[in-house]
Amino acid sequence: MQNEVPDPSSAGSLPPLRPSRSARLRALVAGNKLFTLVLAAGAVLRLITVLGYPGALWFAGDSYVYLGATLRLRPDLSKSTGYSLFLKVFEPFHSLTLITVLQHLMGLAIAVMLYVLLRRARVPRIWATLATLPVLFNGFQVELEHMIMADTLVEFLLVLAATILLWRRRPSWPAVLVAGLLTGYAVTVWSGDLVLPVVFVVFVIVRRMGWRALAAIVAGSAIPVAGYVAWFHSWTGTYALTNSDGFYLYGRASSFANCAVINPPASERYLCLSTPVTKRLPPGTLIWHIPQVMDKVPGGPVSVAGNKMLRDFAIRAIEAQPVSYAHVIVNGVVLSVDWKRYDYPSQGTVYDYYFHTRAQSVPNHVWIPHKTARQDIQAYGRQGISRVVKPFAYLMSGYERVFYLYGPLFGLILVMGLGSIIRVTRRPGGFRLGRWRAGPDAALPSGLPWACAVVLLVFPIMVADFDYRYVLPVVPFACLAAGLAFASPVSRTDPSDPSPAGAEAALPASAADEPAPGTGPAPADGLREGTAPEGEREGEPTRSATSLPT
């Protein structure tokens, strides 16, 4: 039998060999060395935290409510407990360390999503990497990830939802539905992001994604919220997320309310404060200590009647003193960009935002009926209340006090974010503002993260008070907007396909698997894939301080 000689012409018909996963991973790392390095450093930082503080850290009030509501599943009158549903999923493991590790992974995942979105928008690798540093290396971010608190989960859900909406010019309606579900669930976790679904709906409308996408974002956002409201009603008889919006809004109004100007009805006169405005405590501290709220409100401050009375008084104050209301909002924003970190709203609140070198003490007090906070911690984690391991705890305690996002830098990032929407160009005779990209809606993909950052920063100040913890969910969106200011413009030859040639080489494997230009749907005008820009080489009431009704 003679050996057959293969026909050379038939060789060309064989499909090309697909690189193995390990080969693709090596190529991905080799093409993004700088980001891989900083991501690994961020992971090491979080590993040191896990070693230094086995289990979890606690924020007075809120943490105990979330854990108690997990073990005895129920809504809470003063804060939405969607976070407890997350904790409930992992209750069978009886490991607080598992929860904190998952939250640290969420922090790392947020940085990855920022980097990938920026690279798709043709942002140079170095700028895309720099945009992730405030998330990866902010000591307060790392500390919050290690607490039994809802903030990290909210941050992750919102960034993931925004990533889905920005990934393509016209995402499919199922993808938009997922983004809506994530956003709606985030609202049940923390009501400080209550306006974000509206921002996303407006984005879908203005970007003309179609009626299916609009229906998907509305339905997706509404389903988790409606489900939680129905659950809350089954326990309290009230259709709401909480019974505390008036309680916190009254606290906000207390920082400027003057009854001589407001002239409230006789039934609300007892809510007036005699202390001069300049000598009043911050709202997040004051509402826990004034007898007008804690002792005299009919039914209590988080009853239906009491919450309504407090809300009515606060609205009267805002309507009568709009300038004073605007002034306290501006003051809150200024605190976020101030160089100095103050003991605001109280020293006790700020104390919980730091790593310490001694174990935390947990009060033997009942937050959710039938069990104390200590009993709940031991029942869920089946371990000690709090532990500190040297020298790791010393390292993180010292690190956080030096390496964090300083206020002026945060302010600079916010201002730079405007550069992704408009740009200043120098012309003869002066400077001129102009669009970063041509087209009626070209700045909108960049505008979404910047709008999210502004809303997340201002809304909590409007309805409750400023808190340093509330700044952290703002940071990823502010950094994404600032990074997009360095995106390279794209020259289009086909208006239906703006993706530049060779885009796959600069992207992770998951992005490179998308259909090549001309072979399938492609983003039409959103955040775009891109090769390396010019000049870059390839291959490189529950008492909870100022807490919103979360």
Side-chain angles (χ1 to χ4, degrees):
M1 182 175 181
Q2 294 181 342
N3 293 330
E4 294 184 2
V5 179
D7 183 4
S9 61
S10 64
S13 63
L14 295 175
L17 293 177
R18 186 178 181 84
S20 65
R21 288 188 178 182
S22 60
R24 295 170 67 189
L25 179 61
R26 288 194 298 271
L28 178 63
V29 171
N32 300 275
K33 293 178 182 177
L34 181 59
F35 176 69
T36 302
L37 181 63
V38 299
L39 183 66
V44 169
L45 199 63
R46 286 155 174 81
L47 176 60
I48 294 173
T49 302
V50 172
L51 295 174
Y53 301 90
L57 297 176
W58 310 98
F59 183 78
D62 294 40
S63 297
Y64 316 139
V65 171
Y66 291 134
L67 210 55
T70 299
L71 295 169
R72 297 173 296 285
L73 200 59
R74 59 184 295 171
D76 186 69
L77 294 177
S78 67
K79 61 178 82 295
S80 53
T81 52
Y83 179 61
S84 296
L85 301 178
F86 167 78
L87 296 177
K88 190 70 176 180
V89 173
F90 300 98
E91 182 187 355
F93 296 96
H94 293 290
S95 174
L96 292 168
T97 299
L98 174 62
I99 300 300
T100 55
V101 168
L102 288 173
Q103 291 181 169
H104 285 309
L105 291 175
M106 290 179 192
L108 296 174
I110 290 169
V112 172
M113 286 187 279
L114 296 186
Y115 181 79
V116 174
L117 281 175
L118 291 171
R119 289 297 295 139
R120 282 178 67 85
R122 297 173 56 87
V123 175
R125 288 181 177 84
I126 186 169
W127 293 115
T129 300
L130 287 174
T132 67
L133 299 187
V135 173
L136 289 172
F137 297 107
N138 183 352
F140 290 102
Q141 170 75 28
V142 178
E143 198 266 355
L144 189 60
E145 292 170 10
H146 206 69
M147 298 179 78
I148 300 300
M149 287 292 287
D151 304 70
T152 301
L153 178 60
V154 167
E155 196 176 338
F156 174 75
L157 292 171
L158 293 179
V159 174
L160 180 57
T163 300
I164 293 172
L165 291 178
L166 292 170
W167 194 255
R168 285 182 171 276
R169 171 62 178 84
R170 288 184 180 274
S172 64
W173 71 261
V176 177
L177 177 64
V178 172
L181 291 170
L182 293 170
T183 309
Y185 175 53
V187 171
T188 72
V189 175
W190 181 58
S191 58
D193 61 354
L194 189 61
V195 186
L196 259 293
V198 178
V199 175
F200 288 161
V201 168
V202 171
F203 177 74
V204 169
I205 293 173
V206 179
R207 290 289 282 171
R208 300 188 291 273
M209 293 183 183
W211 70 267
R212 289 186 179 85
L214 178 60
I217 193 70
V218 171
S221 300
I223 289 171
V225 176
Y228 189 93
V229 167
W231 183 43
F232 189 85
H233 176 266
S234 70
W235 279 81
T236 66
T238 304
Y239 289 103
L241 290 171
T242 68
N243 276 350
S244 60
D245 58 298
F247 173 69
Y248 289 104
L249 191 60
Y250 173 82
R252 172 71 285 171
S254 71
S255 58
F256 63 87
N258 182 349
C259 282
V261 178
I262 302 169
N263 192 25
S267 60
E268 297 177 7
R269 281 277 176 183
Y270 73 94
L271 294 174
C272 297
L273 302 178
S274 58
T275 307
V277 171
T278 56
K279 295 184 179 180
R280 293 176 189 174
L281 296 172
T285 300
L286 182 141
I287 55 176
W288 303 108
H289 296 94
I290 53 176
Q292 288 94 325
V293 172
M294 305 310 295
D295 301 329
K296 297 182 180 180
V297 173
V302 292
S303 66
V304 174
N307 186 54
K308 181 179 184 303
M309 181 167 288
L310 292 170
R311 186 197 308 118
D312 290 345
F313 181 90
I315 292 175
R316 294 182 203 279
I318 293 169
E319 291 176 343
Q321 300 176 262
V323 175
S324 299
Y325 179 50
H327 184 259
V328 297
I329 294 172
V330 171
N331 284 345
V333 174
V334 170
L335 282 173
S336 71
V337 297
D338 199 317
W339 174 265
K340 182 179 179 181
R341 289 183 68 96
Y342 300 92
D343 288 337
Y344 190 97
S346 69
Q347 185 178 13
T349 298
V350 173
Y351 180 88
D352 286 341
Y353 296 157
Y354 284 90
F355 289 114
H356 298 282
T357 55
R358 58 184 179 183
Q360 285 184 289
S361 60
V362 175
N364 196 30
H365 176 76
V366 176
W367 268 265
I368 298 294
H370 308 310
K371 296 287 184 179
T372 67
R374 291 182 183 177
Q375 290 172 325
D376 287 339
I377 292 172
Q378 291 169 340
Y380 189 95
R382 296 185 179 176
Q383 60 189 66
I385 301 296
S386 176
R387 287 178 57 202
V388 169
V389 178
K390 305 173 184 178
F392 305 109
Y394 278 89
L395 288 173
M396 292 310 303
S397 179
Y399 176 91
E400 184 185 17
R401 286 160 173 77
V402 177
F403 297 98
Y404 61 89
L405 184 59
Y406 289 81
L409 179 56
F410 173 65
L412 177 62
I413 291 171
L414 284 174
V415 172
M416 289 173 62
L418 284 173
S420 63
I421 306 172
I422 57 176
R423 66 173 178 177
V424 179
T425 55
R426 188 170 184 176
R427 300 290 177 85
F431 294 89
R432 180 179 177 182
L433 293 177
R435 291 283 186 182
W436 178 249
R437 295 184 179 90
D441 62 349
L444 286 173
S446 307
L448 176 65
W450 196 82
C452 290
V454 172
V455 168
L456 286 171
L457 175 63
V458 175
F459 182 71
I461 300 173
M462 293 176 62
V463 299
D465 193 11
F466 169 79
D467 191 298
Y468 288 105
R469 195 177 86 243
Y470 300 157
V471 175
L472 295 177
V474 181
V475 174
F477 291 101
C479 290
L480 179 57
L484 289 171
F486 297 91
S488 300
V490 178
S491 299
R492 294 189 226 161
T493 56
D494 180 358
S496 66
D497 177 17
S499 302
E504 296 179 357
L507 293 175
S510 59
D513 289 342
E514 296 182 5
T519 63
D525 205 15
L527 294 177
R528 309 179 181 93
E529 299 173 297
T531 54
E534 184 178 354
E536 179 182 4
R537 293 182 298 174
E538 288 290 350
E540 299 183 331
T542 298
R543 179 164 181 164
S544 55
T546 62
S547 194
L548 283 167
T550 52

